[in-house]
Amino acid sequence: MATNRGNRARQTEEVENTITYVQCDGLAAMKMVKHCHEESSNMDLAQGALLGLVVDKCLEITNCFPFPKSDDETMDEELYQLTMMRRLRRVNVDHFHVGWYQSSNVGNFLSMALLESQYHYQTSIEESVVVIYDTQKSGRGFLCLKAYRLTPQAIQMYKEGDFTPEALRNMKVGYESLFVEIPIVIKNSPLTNIMMSELCEMTPEEQGHNFLDLGTASVLENHMRCLIERVDELYQESMRYNKYQQVVFKQETEKHRALSKQAAENALRVAKGESPISEEEVLKQFRPLPVPPRLNATITSGQINTYSQHISQFCSQSLAKLFITQSLQNAKESKEVSK
């Protein structure tokens, strides 16, 4: 028994420690950024495949290509991906499938579709990751490129397909244990680093003032609007579960009343020398109610947590900008007074 537990612990550790960080090539990152911004202008969701290889504990992303956007239902996306990887192999480009990427807006990437897609990727390709690129946050000057993987508990939960509160509690699955973030680093060639250094020196000083932009009202407004929508969704889920609990309580009360009534009738029947009625006849009248799944509520809670973290981080950065701007303004005023 102890050996089995040890084997399970080692298997879990192997799954958790398959990769420790993701290394993304600069060209692949630029392709993802370009595709996500092009699709965000049309309010569409950008998705694509990640190509690369695994070296020890590092997942290297060296190339990517977008998924086709077509309304033609006859188009086979799997055949399209296989054709793309086959053609990349012919030109000596890394063609191994290591995951996929998706765009997001204000951090709204957690969903059932994301969970299902990553489950199928991770069960077929053990080292696969999903890379999320936030277009709006990156547009404000903060590159938001994050890699996620499903936890072993989330994979087991989705494999069993039981999303009841009892199952989630037994597997210790919550919104904080659905996904685990994998550190991601961007690697460029030495020539690219030299070119970027020269571009930084060529940038006029006036263009650096936008780093102190204090126009945060629109960003906070979007974050708060999305947060309110998710809180409303969580409230609706809570109301449905509370209604289910009320119906279960009412059914249990009626069941106990019926059993008590039957027990009194059985006592009279025994006193008359008649055979008592079995409890199964009464229990057949009360069928067990289906338990509502709690996975949607768990995902919504995780999305609320993501919004809260983004708001906290953005407010902290805005306060830092405000203090820096105030110091610069005071220095400018004191310099003018001295003149």
Side-chain angles (χ1 to χ4, degrees):
M1 191 69 178
T3 305
N4 293 335
R5 284 199 297 268
N7 292 335
R8 285 197 298 268
R10 283 193 295 271
Q11 291 174 0
T12 303
E13 185 178 0
E14 289 177 0
V15 173
E16 291 177 345
N17 297 332
T18 302
I19 57 174
T20 56
Y21 70 99
V22 176
Q23 178 178 292
C24 183
D25 189 76
L27 179 60
M30 290 299 296
K31 286 183 177 180
M32 285 187 280
V33 170
K34 182 176 182 294
H35 179 216
C36 292
H37 279 288
E38 288 177 351
E39 295 296 337
S40 65
S41 61
N42 301 325
M43 301 302 292
D44 292 331
L45 190 66
Q47 293 180 335
L50 300 176
L51 305 176
L53 66 160
V54 180
V55 180
D56 296 331
K57 297 291 185 178
C58 173
L59 177 66
E60 296 184 4
I61 300 174
T62 57
N63 205 345
C64 65
F65 62 87
F67 291 151
K69 297 289 291 184
S70 175
D71 297 331
D72 187 4
E73 298 180 356
T74 60
M75 185 174 185
D76 191 349
E77 293 188 3
E78 185 176 354
L79 179 60
Y80 169 82
Q81 296 180 37
L82 292 175
T83 305
M84 282 291 297
M85 289 186 287
R86 191 179 300 114
R87 292 177 178 177
L88 289 172
R89 181 176 57 185
R90 292 176 182 175
V91 295
N92 199 23
V93 176
D94 290 330
H95 59 279
F96 294 108
H97 209 164
V98 294
W100 60 298
Y101 68 88
Q102 176 179 303
S103 64
S104 71
N105 188 17
V106 205
N108 58 345
F109 62 91
L110 280 179
S111 62
M112 280 291 296
L114 180 77
L115 179 64
E116 182 179 0
S117 299
Q118 182 58 21
Y119 168 77
H120 291 302
Y121 267 96
Q122 207 160 319
T123 50
S124 58
I125 308 172
E126 186 179 358
E127 299 85 3
S128 63
V129 298
V130 53
V131 175
I132 304 295
Y133 175 75
D134 196 321
T135 55
Q136 183 171 3
K137 191 173 182 181
S138 299
R140 302 294 299 186
F142 307 99
L143 179 62
C144 187
L145 198 67
K146 296 185 178 181
Y148 294 95
R149 280 172 54 84
L150 284 175
T151 60
Q153 299 94 326
I155 294 177
Q156 185 65 25
M157 173 201 66
Y158 204 89
K159 184 183 298 183
E160 295 180 0
D162 188 4
F163 307 133
T164 59
E166 187 69 24
L168 296 181
R169 182 167 57 252
N170 292 336
M171 287 185 286
K172 299 181 179 179
V173 176
Y175 70 85
E176 70 280 355
S177 59
L178 283 178
F179 288 90
V180 57
E181 183 178 351
I182 307 298
I184 183 170
V185 296
I186 298 179
K187 182 181 179 181
N188 293 315
S189 64
L191 292 177
T192 304
N193 292 329
I194 294 173
M195 184 191 69
M196 292 176 64
S197 299
E198 291 180 352
L199 289 176
C200 289
E201 294 178 356
M202 294 168 59
T203 303
E205 296 182 357
E206 291 77 10
Q207 294 188 5
H209 293 166
N210 55 4
F211 293 107
L212 297 177
D213 181 22
L214 300 179
T216 60
S218 60
V219 179
L220 288 178
E221 181 182 354
N222 292 334
H223 277 78
M224 292 301 298
R225 184 181 294 111
C226 295
L227 181 61
I228 291 173
E229 292 176 358
R230 292 298 177 270
V231 170
D232 288 339
E233 291 180 9
L234 186 61
Y235 174 75
Q236 295 297 330
E237 290 288 339
S238 301
M239 290 297 294
R240 295 191 193 99
Y241 190 70
N242 290 337
K243 185 177 181 180
Y244 160 76
Q245 288 183 321
Q246 292 174 1
V247 174
V248 169
F249 179 76
K250 182 179 179 181
Q251 187 185 65
E252 289 293 328
T253 304
E254 294 177 355
K255 185 190 298 184
H256 286 299
R257 188 182 297 114
L259 290 175
S260 301
K261 183 179 179 181
Q262 186 200 20
E265 292 178 357
N266 285 339
L268 294 176
R269 293 175 66 89
V270 171
K272 294 178 182 180
E274 300 177 359
S275 60
I277 302 176
S278 63
E279 294 183 355
E280 295 180 357
E281 297 296 331
V282 178
L283 296 178
K284 287 180 181 179
Q285 303 175 7
F286 302 95
R287 297 180 180 179
L289 298 173
V291 182
R294 299 293 292 167
L295 184 58
N296 287 334
T298 303
I299 293 176
T300 306
S301 300
Q303 188 63 68
I304 291 174
N305 182 55
T306 302
Y307 284 142
S308 301
Q309 291 178 354
H310 283 194
I311 292 174
S312 176
Q313 181 183 9
F314 194 80
C315 289
S316 300
Q317 294 168 348
S318 299
L319 285 174
K321 289 181 181 180
L322 184 62
F323 282 113
I324 293 174
T325 307
Q326 183 180 6
S327 301
L328 293 176
Q329 184 66 23
N330 294 337
K332 181 179 179 180
E333 292 178 354
S334 62
K335 186 176 181 180
E336 291 177 354
V337 171
S338 62
K339 289 182 179 180

